[in-house]
């Protein structure tokens, strides 16, 4: 009976792990935001862009970047969208068309672009929680080549950023550290307060708007980190972090909200799931 119960429990966790990976795939940031604007019932954005002479993909990416940044100066948005035309002036001209059509706001006083169309609160909550791969609630699969991640249905390079290659790296090491079960120290998570540096005052030459942005970013991170930890504890409070190499061969755990390589608070709230008494 115990073996049967354990098997049923493991199957349930595997099913939940697949569901979490599908949510991550659905909520990859740019893709999800584009889909939200395309399916918006109140405005046919693609038709509007066509009537304005704005390429559809450019227009969607403009709305996506504005929804992400809320407020940004013109050079920033031009830089983010430059790849559409490889022409800074043409990119700026297309943004001006969108401003004239009230798809984006422009503040002459602040010299900033401001978003007009955001996303629904429930969509934003999904994006906050699932846009980054969550720790795994089941043991990761064995990493067998440089393009496997350990996740059940989501694969990516074992080398960070755009440094992928198929030369030899020590996959055995990744498999060892991937298999270490971890848990949340719930007392630390509840009693200790997360902190980021320099949130008590503005940095040198930092605008008030940027300072407020940083404080909001911290509050958002802290809220979602506790949300993710609650999700992990609901699933038995045993989880696994996958790992990757940087181009210099250093190992990095792939947690965003839950990561033992983060700041002191991130480190304090994670402990080994299989605990041992260490003799002095």
């Amino acid at each position: 009976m115990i073996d049967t119960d354990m098997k049923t429990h493991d199957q349930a966790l595997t099913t939940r792990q697949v569901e979490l990976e599908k949510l991550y795939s659905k909520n990859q940031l740019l893709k999800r935001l584009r889909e939200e604007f395309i399916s918006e019932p109140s405005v046919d954005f693609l038709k509007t862009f066509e009537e304005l002479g704005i390429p559809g993909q450019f227009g969607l990416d403009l709305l996506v970047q504005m929804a992400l940044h809320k407020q940004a100066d013109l050079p920033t948005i031009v830089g983010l969208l430059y790849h559409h035309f490889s022409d800074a002036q043409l990119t700026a001209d297309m943004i001006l068309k969108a401003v004239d059509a009230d798809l984006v706001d422009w503040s002459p006083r602040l010299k900033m672009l401001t978003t007009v169309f955001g996303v629904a609160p429930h969509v934003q909550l999904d994006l906050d929680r699932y846009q980054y791969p969550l720790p795994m609630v089941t043991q990761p699969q064995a990493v067998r080549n440089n393009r496997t991640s350990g996740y059940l249905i989501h694969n990516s390079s074992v080398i960070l950023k755009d440094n992928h290659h198929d030369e030899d790296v020590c996959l055995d090491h990744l498999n060892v550290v991937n298999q270490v079960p971890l848990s949340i120290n719930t007392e630390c998570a509840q009693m200790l307060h997360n902190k980021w540096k320099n949130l008590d005052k503005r940095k040198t030459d930092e605008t008030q708007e940027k300072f407020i942005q940083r404080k909001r970013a911290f509050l958002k991170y802290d809220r979602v980190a506790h949300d993710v930890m609650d999700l992990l504890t609901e699933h038995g409070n045993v989880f696994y972090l996958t790992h990757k190499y940087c181009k210099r061969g250093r190992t990095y755990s792939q947690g965003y909200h839950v990561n033992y390589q983060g700041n002191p608070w991130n480190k304090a709230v994670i402990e080994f799931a299989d605990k041992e008494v260490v003799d002095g």
Side-chain angles (χ1 to χ4, degrees):
M1 176 64 74
I2 293 176
D3 288 345
T4 302
D5 289 344
M6 287 295 294
K7 186 176 181 181
T8 301
H9 175 72
D10 290 346
Q11 289 174 341
L13 283 179
T14 299
T15 300
R16 182 54 176 155
Q17 177 61 39
V18 171
E19 291 173 354
L20 290 172
E21 291 184 37
K22 288 180 178 178
L23 281 170
Y24 162 72
S25 178
K26 177 183 177 183
N27 287 287
Q28 290 188 70
L29 196 57
L30 301 182
K31 176 184 174 184
R32 176 72 187 275
L33 286 174
R34 288 190 193 100
E35 291 172 351
E36 287 298 317
F37 284 119
I38 289 172
S39 61
E40 172 58 42
S42 62
V43 183
D44 187 337
F45 285 110
L46 290 177
K47 182 179 179 181
T48 300
F49 295 142
E50 183 180 1
E51 292 172 350
L52 294 170
I54 298 174
Q57 289 304 310
F58 173 87
L60 287 174
D61 281 356
L62 172 60
L63 295 181
V64 165
Q65 292 299 337
M66 291 310 306
L68 284 174
H69 289 84
K70 313 302 182 193
Q71 189 177 70
D73 58 26
L74 182 60
T76 296
I77 299 301
V78 169
L80 290 168
L81 301 176
Y82 178 84
H83 65 278
H84 281 277
F85 307 112
S86 298
D87 183 322
Q89 185 58 56
L90 182 55
T91 303
D93 291 343
M94 289 295 171
I95 294 172
L96 179 60
K97 283 187 177 183
V99 170
D100 289 341
D102 294 326
L103 297 173
V104 180
D105 274 343
W106 168 255
S107 170
R109 183 179 66 84
L110 297 176
K111 296 184 179 179
M112 300 284 279
L113 293 161
T114 306
T115 186
V116 172
F117 298 97
V119 293
H122 73 278
V123 175
Q124 188 62 56
L125 286 173
D126 280 351
L127 291 170
D128 293 344
R129 179 187 281 188
Y130 298 117
Q131 74 184 75
Y132 302 101
L134 297 176
M136 296 186 68
V137 296
T138 59
Q139 280 194 345
Q141 293 183 328
V143 176
R144 302 190 183 280
N145 59 60
N146 290 10
R147 288 191 180 276
T148 50
S149 64
Y151 283 87
L152 303 186
I153 61 174
H154 164 69
N155 279 315
S156 57
S157 175
V158 297
I159 298 99
L160 290 167
K161 298 186 178 179
D162 296 323
N163 298 302
H164 178 81
H165 59 75
D166 291 312
E167 298 173 13
D168 285 344
V169 296
C170 189
L171 301 180
D172 287 344
H173 168 67
L174 296 181
N175 284 319
V176 169
V177 292
N178 284 358
Q179 296 294 322
V180 176
L182 304 168
S183 65
I184 299 296
N185 185 320
T186 53
E187 289 185 3
C188 282
Q190 293 171 2
M191 300 297 293
L192 299 180
H193 295 291
N194 190 9
K195 293 181 180 179
W196 283 1
K197 294 180 180 179
N198 301 318
L199 285 180
D200 56 333
K201 60 182 179 181
R202 287 162 52 180
K203 297 178 182 179
T204 305
D205 298 328
E206 183 179 41
T207 65
Q208 181 67 15
E209 288 78 13
K210 290 290 184 183
F211 176 55
I212 292 172
Q213 259 184 0
R214 281 199 301 116
K215 293 180 71 173
R216 286 177 177 168
F218 166 74
L219 293 173
K220 173 181 169 182
Y221 177 90
D222 191 58
R223 172 179 57 78
V224 179
H226 281 89
D227 191 24
V228 171
M229 288 189 293
D230 288 345
L231 185 148
L232 294 173
T233 55
E234 287 169 9
H235 288 82
N237 199 15
V238 176
F239 61 90
Y240 303 82
L241 288 169
T242 60
H243 297 74
K244 296 188 179 189
Y245 291 118
C246 72
K247 65 180 180 180
R248 296 181 181 179
R250 294 172 295 192
T251 306
Y252 289 89
S253 65
Q254 293 306 288
Y256 182 72
H257 296 102
V258 175
N259 188 341
Y260 63 80
Q261 292 177 325
N263 68 9
W265 180 82
N266 289 120
K267 296 171 182 176
V269 299
I270 297 178
E271 59 188 8
F272 292 119
D274 297 333
K275 299 170 180 60
E276 298 179 8
V277 177
V278 180
D279 294 330

